[in-house]
Amino acid sequence: MILILSLVLVFVFGYFCVLSLSHYVNYRKYLHKYPGPRCYPIIGNTFHFARGTGLIPSLMKCKKKYGDIVHCMLPFSQRLFLTGAKPVETLLSSTTLLEKPLIYKFFHPWLGLGLLTGSGARWKHIRKLLTPAFHFKILKQFIDIFDKQGNILINILEKCDGKEVDVFPYIALCSLDIICEATMNTSVDAQFAPNSEYVSSVHEMCAIVFRRYHSPLKAWDALYKLSKDYQKQKKALTILHGYSNAVIKRRKKELEDAKLHISNKEDEMGNKHRLVFLDLLLLSEVDGKPLPHNVIREEVDTFMFEGHDTTTSGISFTLYCLSKNPEVQDKVFTELKVIDPQGRKAWAYDDLQQMKYLEQVIKESLRLYPPVPLFARTPTENVDFGGTLVPKGISLTVFTYGLHRCPKLYPNPDVFDPERFTPENSRARSIYGYVPFSTGSRNCIGQRFAMLEIKSIVAYLIREFKLLEVVGHEPELTVDAILRPQNGLPIRFVKRNNNIKM
């Protein structure tokens, strides 16, 4: 037995070395023209990213030293990190560079081949099918959900009585309630159950995916199944898939019992019917047959993840930036007072459209703290990229965080300045210099929904509370699937009509 195990380990190590050497040969043949930290056979740049500074600080140093395209090699993978508008444009304007690289494979046990991870004809079909669910006339009908969940959040934060709180977990529960009700017509009341198994399972799966991508051994399915992470994954997926299956089953029965027929036609008032995306999936047919259950669940899981976790990051960092910049917060409050002088109304869709300065604030926050700090594509064959041939299988990675802090695009890039996003200043900048929702063929299908949600929740909180800075705190950023603060985002929420001393 020991002999067999030893032979297996020798084989694995040998295969690992051969594969890594092939990547190094590709580097010498194709990629040596691209600058980057010194690359060694087999180990590549592993030690460069293992010095304890964290991924984002390491990549920011590389950007500063090597420019808009940085080459890095890790075991099993070659990457070009794109941190300038020109190379990002080359990638995202392409109609052929649409495939996702290796890391997205590790999402498959959870998300399958949904909109985030899939490609090809099925991806195009599902994208086309779901697009009507995000028509602006449909989005108008979700405003009451933002109002309902925003007021629940206000009531919860009032009980904190001006004490320092980490806002991130509060927003996570609010966002989960919103995405469930808005896209699946179901309530989970997560804000009343702060120890949500669903939220913790999402975080667990994101962390597992990130660890697998950076582990030469866990990248192998056979070896991964021997690890503790695999057991954690099974437990998390039981919760995540169990919840999705229950939602699908319940909604399917409701549709059958009511014999509902949802169409894309406008009613007599000129409004479209409320097309929640789950209904579209359940009522859709391909070649005269309903979509298979697993296809529906994959899309449900994808929207639950993308519509909950990324929005949580966006709202939380926006609130944090406002607490750090009281003069900006005052301008937002003044804008809200103009729209609602009495400070009592529920925000309507047209109200949200008038919040132009708040929109600039949100965009500036998403610039400094993009919820998805890295995303990637991979060519399926050798392609010309900016005048240089790159081999198939390489990860062309947009380093959004670094792109958004490029001094050529944003002078004094670390300074929070919403004036960068006035119409005049925005027109003067490449659209590929600001990509919090990506752009091109694979842009975020729900970005208008996300912006409305962020704007609505932030507007409710700013109208009710003065956000006070926790002096001395700076976020320690970490990356799994999204940008997270390792040390939280502490804020003091003080009611505007009370007498707490500041």
Side-chain angles (χ1 to χ4, degrees), residues 302-374:
T302 296
F303 269 76
M304 289 288 285
F305 163 57
E306 289 202 283
H308 150 244
D309 231 18
T310 54
T311 310
T312 295
S313 181
I315 295 173
S316 299
F317 278 107
T318 299
L319 295 171
Y320 183 78
C321 288
L322 285 168
S323 76
K324 289 278 189 176
N325 296 271
E327 71 289 348
V328 174
Q329 186 181 159
D330 289 344
K331 288 183 70 174
V332 171
F333 182 69
T334 299
E335 180 177 68
L336 300 180
K337 288 291 286 183
V338 171
I339 298 170
D340 177 25
Q342 301 302 317
R344 297 195 188 100
K345 69 186 298 188
W347 299 126
Y349 181 85
D350 290 341
D351 296 327
L352 296 176
Q353 300 310 303
Q354 293 181 55
M355 299 175 188
K356 300 300 184 183
Y357 185 71
L358 175 55
E359 186 170 313
Q360 292 174 212
V361 168
I362 294 169
K363 287 181 176 180
E364 175 68 349
S365 177
L366 295 177
R367 180 189 72 83
L368 282 172
Y369 301 105
V372 183
L374 304 104

